[in-house]
Amino acid sequence: MAATLFSPYTIKGVTLKNRIVMSPMCMYSCHNEDGKVENWHKIHYAARAVGQVGLIVVEATAVTAQGRISSRDLGIWSDEHITGLKELVSLLKEHGAKTAIQLAHAGRKATVEGEIIAPSPIAFDENMRVPKEMTKADIEKTIQAFQNGARRAKEAGFDIIEIHAAHGYLINEFLSPLTNKRQDEYGGSAANRYRFLGEVINAVREVWDGPLFVRISASDYHPEGLSVEDYVEYAKRMKEQGVDLVDVSSGAVVPAKIDAYPGYQVRFAEQIRQGAGVATGAVGLITSGLQAEEILRNERADLVFIGRELLRNPYWPRTAAKELGVELEAPVQYKRGW
Ligand SMILES: Cc1cc2nc3c(=O)[nH]c(=O)nc-3n(C[C@H](O)[C@H](O)[C@H](O)COP(=O)(O)O)c2cc1C
């Protein structure tokens, strides 16, 4: 069988050798609390490149120190971060993987010391701090920080940039009416709540003409929150702005119980793909080759993002290939054991 999962995929001139994407996953492993790449990152990501993952999305990387989820997050808020990221990229490329980085700001979910910022002064829950409502100057500075992050990602040699607009972090906080109670042009209507993301995309596009992904939370799982229908409309705007792929996750905007079952977010990726006519990535409890192949063959998504299964098994592409009866080229050093 010729499996779609192992067919190449070209997006804006970048060809992935297969459709398997390592989903961004925070490692909280910058032990010096300076946002710099450490040995852990090099070993962890390179192992998945050796494992034949087509595209590796490096974890949420903070565009400002204040926008870190934790003090051990990776960072890209300074030119000093470029060297380590460049080394990481070259290691991954050496093993045939394409590379992406997720540019992030945690907004009200930041747990670092000092002031934290968000569109509105509402805490996530009783254990989290109340953020400061962002001023226009804060908004401008943060958009600039995303642009600076994109410029540094380009200098580091990444093939693809992903903007993190999901999981209740800063951009998602602007998008959702549950977390955005602003009275100015950044709050209120759907168009106003989109404005911040729209400006971030434009700012990134000024310095980056390569493939651009945006990760979203397609459902707030709350009656007054956003649903996939709202995100079909937002995805149309993203497409118009030159976003190449929408990476479709869900939840974490407000505390809500999520019924997670195999492929629980795939229907969102499918609906956005059809409704907005944009390429999508599916993610969430996708653990087998057959399941991934079903998603691609039925044109429910263009790429399959794998998270925890790749933590358990860096050689998951090999496992999936065996399941699908595909012969996967072994790294030459491993030929005798493949
Ligand atoms: C340890 C860990 C860290 C994560 N960090 C991020 C992150 O940095 N950015 C992000 O968008 N999602 C993050 N996620 C979510 C994953 O990318 C993925 O969407 C989620 O785990 C569901 O996919 P899975 O069932 O294949 O694991 C993280 C998940 C895990 C388990």
Side-chain angles (χ1 to χ4, degrees), residues 70-287:
S70 84
S71 57
R72 293 186 171 190
D73 288 18
L74 267 185
I76 195 160
W77 66 81
S78 150
D79 284 350
E80 286 179 18
H81 291 118
I82 298 169
T83 309
L85 291 168
K86 202 181 238 175
E87 246 181 274
L88 181 59
V89 166
S90 87
L91 279 173
L92 306 187
K93 290 196 171 168
E94 196 177 311
H95 298 295
K98 291 289 190 262
T99 56
I101 186 166
Q102 190 184 48
L103 300 182
H105 189 299
R108 71 174 183 168
K109 284 182 154 181
T111 66
V112 287
E113 278 173 29
E115 183 178 78
I116 61 171
I117 56 171
S120 299
I122 313 163
F124 178 73
D125 63 19
E126 62 281 6
N127 300 318
M128 306 279 277
R129 275 177 296 160
V130 176
K132 187 195 95 168
E133 178 174 306
M134 288 168 80
T135 61
K136 291 272 171 64
D138 292 328
I139 288 175
E140 272 172 35
K141 252 170 53 189
T142 309
I143 292 168
Q144 185 61 53
F146 271 98
Q147 186 181 67
N148 294 342
R151 175 184 51 79
R152 292 179 188 123
K154 184 176 174 176
E155 278 183 48
F158 284 99
D159 300 295
I160 296 173
I161 288 178
E162 174 164 289
I163 296 171
H164 197 349
H167 302 162
Y169 296 117
L170 184 66
I171 296 175
N172 199 172
E173 290 160 18
F174 272 92
L175 293 172
S176 174
L178 300 174
T179 42
N180 182 345
K181 307 287 182 192
R182 296 179 73 91
Q183 306 289 325
D184 63 3
E185 68 270 33
Y186 290 92
S189 66
N192 279 359
R193 282 181 276 109
Y194 182 81
R195 192 177 307 279
F196 182 69
L197 172 57
E199 290 179 358
V200 168
I201 293 170
N202 284 342
V204 167
R205 270 287 174 232
E206 279 174 25
V207 297
W208 175 256
D209 58 6
L212 182 62
F213 293 5
V214 176
R215 175 166 272 204
I216 58 157
S217 276
S219 173
D220 291 350
Y221 300 107
H222 188 287
E224 279 104 56
L226 296 181
S227 65
V228 65
E229 287 77 21
D230 299 304
Y231 273 99
V232 167
E233 297 310 310
Y234 279 157
K236 287 180 189 165
R237 289 174 189 267
M238 292 179 212
K239 187 184 172 191
E240 265 173 34
Q241 286 189 274
V243 168
D244 299 290
L245 180 138
V246 180
D247 168 11
V248 185
S249 185
S250 70
V253 179
V254 290
K257 181 128 185 51
I258 301 174
D259 179 20
Y261 50 85
Y264 65 106
Q265 296 170 147
V266 176
R267 63 199 159 106
F268 299 143
E270 182 172 16
Q271 214 168 319
I272 288 168
R273 190 176 190 272
Q274 283 184 357
V278 68
T280 59
V283 67
L285 282 177
I286 301 166
T287 53

Side-chain angles (χ1 to χ4, degrees), residues 23-27 59-60 102 164 167 215 249 264 283-286 305-309 311:
S23 202
M25 284 179 282
C26 288
M27 291 288 106
E59 67 201 75
Q102 190 184 48
H164 197 349
H167 302 162
R215 175 166 272 204
S249 185
Y264 65 106
V283 67
L285 282 177
I286 301 166
F305 286 57
I306 308 289
R308 288 161 293 180
E309 190 60 27
L311 294 185

